[in-house]
Short mmCIF file of all heavy atoms in Angstrom, two decimals:
data_model
loop_
_atom_site.label_atom_id
_atom_site.label_comp_id
_atom_site.label_asym_id
_atom_site.label_seq_id
_atom_site.Cartn_x
_atom_site.Cartn_y
_atom_site.Cartn_z
N GLY S 1 0.79 -1.26 -0.10
CA GLY S 1 -0.01 -0.03 0.03
C GLY S 1 0.79 1.29 0.03
O GLY S 1 0.28 2.31 -0.06
N GLU S 2 2.12 1.13 0.08
CA GLU S 2 2.99 2.31 0.03
C GLU S 2 3.53 2.58 -1.34
O GLU S 2 3.76 1.74 -2.12
CB GLU S 2 4.20 2.10 0.92
CG GLU S 2 3.89 2.05 2.53
CD GLU S 2 5.01 1.93 3.33
OE1 GLU S 2 5.99 1.37 2.82
OE2 GLU S 2 5.03 2.34 4.52
N ARG S 3 3.51 3.90 -1.62
CA ARG S 3 3.99 4.26 -2.98
C ARG S 3 5.47 4.79 -2.84
O ARG S 3 5.82 5.57 -2.04
CB ARG S 3 3.13 5.46 -3.51
CG ARG S 3 3.48 5.88 -4.93
CD ARG S 3 2.53 6.89 -5.40
NE ARG S 3 2.94 7.44 -6.76
CZ ARG S 3 2.31 8.40 -7.32
NH1 ARG S 3 1.09 9.01 -6.79
NH2 ARG S 3 2.68 8.85 -8.52
N GLU S 4 6.34 4.15 -3.72
CA GLU S 4 7.78 4.39 -3.53
C GLU S 4 8.26 5.59 -4.41
O GLU S 4 7.70 5.80 -5.54
CB GLU S 4 8.58 3.18 -3.92
CG GLU S 4 8.33 1.90 -3.13
CD GLU S 4 8.93 0.77 -3.70
OE1 GLU S 4 9.98 0.90 -4.35
OE2 GLU S 4 8.52 -0.44 -3.47
N PHE S 5 9.21 6.37 -3.86
CA PHE S 5 9.80 7.40 -4.56
C PHE S 5 11.39 7.26 -4.35
O PHE S 5 11.79 7.45 -3.21
CB PHE S 5 9.43 8.78 -4.08
CG PHE S 5 7.88 9.06 -4.38
CD1 PHE S 5 6.91 8.62 -3.50
CD2 PHE S 5 7.53 9.67 -5.68
CE1 PHE S 5 5.58 8.88 -3.91
CE2 PHE S 5 6.20 9.88 -5.99
CZ PHE S 5 5.20 9.47 -5.05
N GLY S 6 12.00 7.07 -5.44
CA GLY S 6 13.52 6.92 -5.31
C GLY S 6 14.18 8.30 -5.18
O GLY S 6 13.66 9.28 -5.61
N TYR S 7 15.34 8.23 -4.63
CA TYR S 7 16.10 9.55 -4.48
C TYR S 7 17.59 9.18 -4.69
O TYR S 7 18.49 10.13 -4.66
CB TYR S 7 15.96 10.06 -3.06
CG TYR S 7 16.20 9.11 -1.99
CD1 TYR S 7 17.61 9.06 -1.36
CD2 TYR S 7 15.28 8.32 -1.40
CE1 TYR S 7 17.80 8.19 -0.38
CE2 TYR S 7 15.61 7.38 -0.37
CZ TYR S 7 16.81 7.37 0.15
OH TYR S 7 17.11 6.56 1.23
N HIS S 8 18.08 8.07 -5.10
CA HIS S 8 19.53 7.75 -5.28
C HIS S 8 19.97 8.38 -6.46
O HIS S 8 21.25 8.64 -6.63
CB HIS S 8 19.70 6.22 -5.28
CG HIS S 8 18.87 5.50 -6.36
ND1 HIS S 8 17.52 5.18 -6.21
CD2 HIS S 8 19.18 4.97 -7.59
CE1 HIS S 8 17.13 4.60 -7.26
NE2 HIS S 8 18.07 4.47 -8.15
N ASN S 9 19.19 8.71 -7.49
CA ASN S 9 19.59 9.47 -8.68
C ASN S 9 19.53 10.90 -8.68
O ASN S 9 19.96 11.64 -9.43
CB ASN S 9 18.88 8.91 -9.91
CG ASN S 9 19.31 7.47 -10.31
OD1 ASN S 9 20.46 7.14 -10.14
ND2 ASN S 9 18.30 6.73 -10.69
N ALA S 10 18.83 11.38 -7.57
CA ALA S 10 18.59 12.82 -7.42
C ALA S 10 19.84 13.64 -7.30
O ALA S 10 20.74 13.23 -6.48
CB ALA S 10 17.60 13.11 -6.41
N GLY S 11 19.97 14.74 -8.01
CA GLY S 11 21.10 15.63 -7.79
C GLY S 11 22.45 15.10 -8.32
O GLY S 11 23.47 15.62 -8.01
N GLY S 12 22.37 13.99 -9.01
CA GLY S 12 23.55 13.47 -9.62
C GLY S 12 24.43 12.65 -8.67
O GLY S 12 25.62 12.45 -8.77
N TYR S 13 23.80 12.24 -7.44
CA TYR S 13 24.50 11.46 -6.42
C TYR S 13 25.11 10.19 -7.03
O TYR S 13 26.19 9.78 -6.78
CB TYR S 13 23.56 11.24 -5.26
CG TYR S 13 24.23 10.40 -4.21
CD1 TYR S 13 24.99 11.07 -3.23
CD2 TYR S 13 24.06 8.96 -4.14
CE1 TYR S 13 25.59 10.30 -2.27
CE2 TYR S 13 24.60 8.34 -3.10
CZ TYR S 13 25.39 8.94 -2.09
OH TYR S 13 26.04 8.24 -1.16
N MET S 14 24.25 9.34 -7.70
CA MET S 14 24.69 8.10 -8.16
C MET S 14 25.87 8.29 -9.22
O MET S 14 26.74 7.38 -9.24
CB MET S 14 23.54 7.27 -8.72
CG MET S 14 23.87 5.77 -8.81
SD MET S 14 24.41 5.04 -7.37
CE MET S 14 23.01 5.15 -6.28
N ASN S 15 25.74 9.30 -10.04
CA ASN S 15 26.79 9.53 -11.05
C ASN S 15 28.09 9.76 -10.31
O ASN S 15 29.14 9.27 -10.77
CB ASN S 15 26.37 10.70 -11.89
CG ASN S 15 25.23 10.37 -12.82
OD1 ASN S 15 25.03 9.13 -13.15
ND2 ASN S 15 24.44 11.35 -13.26
N MET S 16 28.07 10.61 -9.26
CA MET S 16 29.37 10.85 -8.45
C MET S 16 29.84 9.55 -7.96
O MET S 16 31.07 9.27 -7.84
CB MET S 16 29.03 11.85 -7.34
CG MET S 16 30.21 12.21 -6.46
SD MET S 16 29.87 12.92 -4.99
CE MET S 16 29.28 11.33 -4.03
N MET S 17 28.93 8.65 -7.34
CA MET S 17 29.35 7.42 -6.72
C MET S 17 30.06 6.48 -7.80
O MET S 17 31.06 5.82 -7.48
CB MET S 17 28.22 6.69 -6.02
CG MET S 17 27.66 7.40 -4.91
SD MET S 17 28.80 7.73 -3.62
CE MET S 17 29.43 6.15 -3.20
N LEU S 18 29.45 6.47 -8.88
CA LEU S 18 30.06 5.61 -10.07
C LEU S 18 31.44 6.21 -10.40
O LEU S 18 32.35 5.38 -10.76
CB LEU S 18 29.06 5.61 -11.33
CG LEU S 18 27.79 4.90 -11.13
CD1 LEU S 18 26.95 5.09 -12.38
CD2 LEU S 18 28.02 3.41 -10.83
N GLY S 19 31.63 7.51 -10.49
CA GLY S 19 32.88 8.13 -10.72
C GLY S 19 33.88 7.68 -9.63
O GLY S 19 35.02 7.29 -9.95
N LEU S 20 33.49 7.72 -8.42
CA LEU S 20 34.36 7.33 -7.32
C LEU S 20 34.75 5.87 -7.34
O LEU S 20 35.86 5.48 -7.08
CB LEU S 20 33.75 7.73 -5.94
CG LEU S 20 33.64 9.14 -5.59
CD1 LEU S 20 32.87 9.23 -4.30
CD2 LEU S 20 35.03 9.73 -5.42
N ALA S 21 33.75 5.03 -7.75
CA ALA S 21 33.91 3.58 -7.91
C ALA S 21 35.03 3.31 -8.97
O ALA S 21 35.80 2.38 -8.84
CB ALA S 21 32.68 2.85 -8.22
N LEU S 22 35.02 4.06 -9.94
CA LEU S 22 36.06 3.88 -11.08
C LEU S 22 37.43 4.41 -10.55
O LEU S 22 38.53 3.77 -10.89
CB LEU S 22 35.60 4.57 -12.36
CG LEU S 22 34.42 4.12 -13.03
CD1 LEU S 22 34.08 4.92 -14.25
CD2 LEU S 22 34.66 2.58 -13.55
N ALA S 23 37.46 5.47 -9.80
CA ALA S 23 38.69 6.03 -9.39
C ALA S 23 39.33 5.44 -8.16
O ALA S 23 40.57 5.40 -8.02
CB ALA S 23 38.54 7.62 -9.16
N PHE S 24 38.59 4.86 -7.24
CA PHE S 24 39.00 4.40 -6.03
C PHE S 24 40.12 3.29 -6.19
O PHE S 24 41.19 3.33 -5.54
CB PHE S 24 37.82 3.92 -5.17
CG PHE S 24 37.63 4.72 -3.95
CD1 PHE S 24 37.49 6.08 -4.05
CD2 PHE S 24 37.62 4.08 -2.65
CE1 PHE S 24 37.33 6.88 -3.02
CE2 PHE S 24 37.43 4.89 -1.62
CZ PHE S 24 37.28 6.25 -1.70
N PRO S 25 39.82 2.19 -6.99
CA PRO S 25 40.87 1.18 -7.09
C PRO S 25 42.28 1.61 -7.43
O PRO S 25 43.26 1.32 -6.82
CB PRO S 25 40.29 0.18 -8.11
CG PRO S 25 38.81 0.43 -8.11
CD PRO S 25 38.66 1.85 -7.83
N ALA S 26 42.34 2.49 -8.44
CA ALA S 26 43.55 3.09 -9.02
C ALA S 26 44.27 3.86 -7.85
O ALA S 26 45.48 3.82 -7.68
CB ALA S 26 43.48 3.79 -10.25
N GLU S 27 43.38 4.65 -7.26
CA GLU S 27 43.96 5.62 -6.19
C GLU S 27 44.46 4.83 -5.00
O GLU S 27 45.51 5.21 -4.45
CB GLU S 27 42.85 6.51 -5.81
CG GLU S 27 43.29 7.55 -4.67
CD GLU S 27 42.21 8.48 -4.28
OE1 GLU S 27 41.07 8.36 -4.98
OE2 GLU S 27 42.38 9.12 -3.25
N ILE S 28 43.73 3.79 -4.63
CA ILE S 28 44.20 2.92 -3.46
C ILE S 28 45.57 2.36 -3.68
O ILE S 28 46.50 2.27 -2.90
CB ILE S 28 43.09 1.98 -3.06
CG1 ILE S 28 41.89 2.62 -2.51
CG2 ILE S 28 43.67 0.92 -2.09
CD1 ILE S 28 40.73 1.69 -2.33
N VAL S 29 45.67 1.72 -4.93
CA VAL S 29 46.92 0.98 -5.32
C VAL S 29 48.03 2.02 -5.44
O VAL S 29 49.13 1.82 -4.84
CB VAL S 29 46.72 0.38 -6.59
CG1 VAL S 29 48.13 -0.20 -7.18
CG2 VAL S 29 45.71 -0.77 -6.47
N ALA S 30 47.75 3.25 -6.05
CA ALA S 30 48.83 4.20 -6.11
C ALA S 30 49.33 4.72 -4.79
O ALA S 30 50.58 4.93 -4.57
CB ALA S 30 48.39 5.35 -6.99
N VAL S 31 48.31 4.99 -3.89
CA VAL S 31 48.64 5.55 -2.55
C VAL S 31 49.53 4.59 -1.87
O VAL S 31 50.49 4.80 -1.08
CB VAL S 31 47.50 6.03 -1.89
CG1 VAL S 31 47.75 6.42 -0.39
CG2 VAL S 31 46.99 7.26 -2.52
N HIS S 32 48.98 3.29 -1.93
CA HIS S 32 49.73 2.19 -1.08
C HIS S 32 51.17 2.13 -1.70
O HIS S 32 52.09 1.89 -0.72
CB HIS S 32 49.06 0.88 -1.39
CG HIS S 32 49.63 -0.33 -0.68
ND1 HIS S 32 49.41 -0.52 0.57
CD2 HIS S 32 50.59 -1.23 -1.20
CE1 HIS S 32 50.13 -1.66 0.91
NE2 HIS S 32 50.80 -2.03 -0.16
N LEU S 33 51.47 2.01 -2.95
CA LEU S 33 52.76 1.96 -3.46
C LEU S 33 53.61 3.21 -3.03
O LEU S 33 54.80 2.95 -2.79
CB LEU S 33 52.74 1.75 -4.98
CG LEU S 33 52.13 0.58 -5.53
CD1 LEU S 33 52.00 0.60 -6.98
CD2 LEU S 33 52.87 -0.73 -5.04
N LEU S 34 53.10 4.33 -2.97
CA LEU S 34 53.76 5.57 -2.74
C LEU S 34 54.19 5.47 -1.17
O LEU S 34 55.29 5.80 -0.86
CB LEU S 34 52.92 6.74 -3.03
CG LEU S 34 53.53 8.12 -2.65
CD1 LEU S 34 54.91 8.35 -3.50
CD2 LEU S 34 52.55 9.29 -2.96
N VAL S 35 53.17 5.21 -0.34
CA VAL S 35 53.41 5.26 1.08
C VAL S 35 54.38 4.07 1.55
O VAL S 35 55.18 4.24 2.49
CB VAL S 35 52.17 5.27 1.87
CG1 VAL S 35 52.35 5.20 3.39
CG2 VAL S 35 51.29 6.51 1.49
N SER S 36 54.25 2.93 0.85
CA SER S 36 55.08 1.86 1.20
C SER S 36 56.58 2.12 1.08
O SER S 36 57.38 1.44 1.72
CB SER S 36 54.64 0.59 0.42
OG SER S 36 54.92 0.83 -0.95
N GLN S 37 56.89 3.03 0.27
CA GLN S 37 58.28 3.33 0.14
C GLN S 37 58.92 4.01 1.41
O GLN S 37 60.09 3.97 1.68
CB GLN S 37 58.56 4.25 -1.10
CG GLN S 37 58.18 3.60 -2.38
CD GLN S 37 58.40 4.58 -3.63
OE1 GLN S 37 59.04 5.64 -3.46
NE2 GLN S 37 57.93 4.06 -4.80
N TRP S 38 58.03 4.62 2.13
CA TRP S 38 58.32 5.36 3.36
C TRP S 38 58.08 4.33 4.56
O TRP S 38 59.01 4.21 5.43
CB TRP S 38 57.54 6.55 3.55
CG TRP S 38 57.61 7.15 4.87
CD1 TRP S 38 58.72 7.77 5.48
CD2 TRP S 38 56.57 7.29 5.85
NE1 TRP S 38 58.48 8.15 6.72
CE2 TRP S 38 57.03 7.89 6.98
CE3 TRP S 38 55.25 7.02 5.84
CZ2 TRP S 38 56.33 8.30 8.06
CZ3 TRP S 38 54.43 7.30 6.86
CH2 TRP S 38 54.98 7.92 8.07
N SER S 39 56.92 3.73 4.67
CA SER S 39 56.66 2.82 5.78
C SER S 39 55.58 1.76 5.33
O SER S 39 54.39 2.15 4.95
CB SER S 39 56.09 3.69 6.87
OG SER S 39 55.62 2.78 7.97
N VAL S 40 55.91 0.56 5.45
CA VAL S 40 55.06 -0.51 5.05
C VAL S 40 53.81 -0.63 5.93
O VAL S 40 52.69 -0.68 5.56
CB VAL S 40 55.73 -1.91 4.92
CG1 VAL S 40 54.79 -3.01 4.66
CG2 VAL S 40 56.81 -1.85 3.75
N PRO S 41 54.00 -0.53 7.31
CA PRO S 41 52.92 -0.59 8.21
C PRO S 41 51.96 0.59 7.89
O PRO S 41 50.69 0.41 7.93
CB PRO S 41 53.52 -0.51 9.68
CG PRO S 41 54.84 -1.09 9.42
CD PRO S 41 55.30 -0.67 8.05
#
């Protein structure tokens, strides 16, 4: 009996999340390699 209204696409939120999803893996690997030269822990 409830009528649903989505909000995950409003304001470009999901587009931003997709962009972060694409950038995060490369950024995590790059930061790890960079910081590991100074301190592995």
Side-chain angles (χ1 to χ4, degrees):
E2 293 181 333
R3 186 175 174 183
E4 302 176 20
F5 293 90
Y7 55 91
H8 56 284
N9 288 323
Y13 178 83
M14 195 56 65
N15 292 333
M16 182 200 71
M17 295 304 301
L18 291 174
L20 289 176
L22 293 174
F24 247 53
E27 181 182 348
I28 290 175
V29 173
V31 171
H32 178 85
L33 294 175
L34 179 63
V35 177
S36 62
Q37 296 179 7
W38 168 65
S39 171
V40 173

